[in-house]
Amino acid sequence: MANVSPGRSDISTHPDVSEMRARYDRMLGGRDVALVDGPVFLLGLYCAVSPWVLHYTTSQPALMTHNLIVGIAIGLLALGFTAAPARMYGLSWAMCALGVWMVIAPWVVGDSPDAGVAVNNIIIGALAVILGMMCAFTAAKSAPRP
């Protein structure tokens, strides 16, 4: 009768072991900020829908359009971070700039915003700055040194 019990095989004798190890190291080494992509996308989605969630579409129509556009921009940055991380993580500082803009936008774009609108944009802006800095510092840390 044949021995069909599962046994441990040693992969070190495989002819392509060095190539497989190099590919594995490349895949793991290039995506240090992958955990930030999802929260950035969710932040952009929330920023885009926040005027309707907090019901300030009639009191702040300019800010409603502003949040929609900035939310779409943050979501597109997140999709870019996911699709082409090597090229897009240089734009991590744009996330920080969008965050700072979101903090001051209620008074620049809006018309005497109430506390709820201001706090909403301040929280969105602070999260955008924090996530942008996480992306930027991690990308700078993992960038190859010349």
Side-chain angles (χ1 to χ4, degrees):
M1 180 172 273
N3 182 8
V4 292
S5 62
R8 290 184 54 128
S9 64
D10 190 15
I11 196 166
S12 64
T13 59
H14 194 279
D16 295 329
V17 70
S18 61
E19 180 184 341
M20 289 188 295
R21 284 187 180 146
R23 184 181 305 157
Y24 185 74
D25 289 339
R26 250 189 346 259
M27 288 177 63
L28 286 180
R31 292 306 311 258
D32 290 341
V33 195
L35 294 175
V36 180
D37 298 350
V40 169
F41 183 75
L42 290 175
L43 180 69
L45 183 65
Y46 175 73
C47 180
V49 301
S50 65
W52 290 275
V53 171
L54 298 177
H55 303 293
Y56 61 87
T57 56
T58 56
S59 66
Q60 299 288 331
L63 205 53
M64 175 194 68
T65 306
H66 169 269
N67 279 18
L68 178 65
I69 292 170
V70 172
I72 291 171
I74 291 173
L76 288 175
L77 276 174
L79 291 176
F81 292 159
T82 303
R87 289 187 227 152
M88 291 294 292
Y89 280 125
L91 289 175
S92 299
W93 293 107
M95 277 285 298
C96 296
L98 283 172
V100 170
W101 173 249
M102 283 299 292
V103 169
I104 62 172
W107 295 278
V108 176
V109 177
D111 182 33
S112 63
D114 60 350
V117 172
V119 168
N120 179 58
N121 274 25
I122 289 170
I123 290 172
I124 291 172
L127 287 173
V129 168
I130 291 168
L131 291 172
M133 289 176 74
M134 285 175 61
C135 288
F137 288 135
T138 307
K141 181 181 72 172
S142 65
R145 302 282 183 227

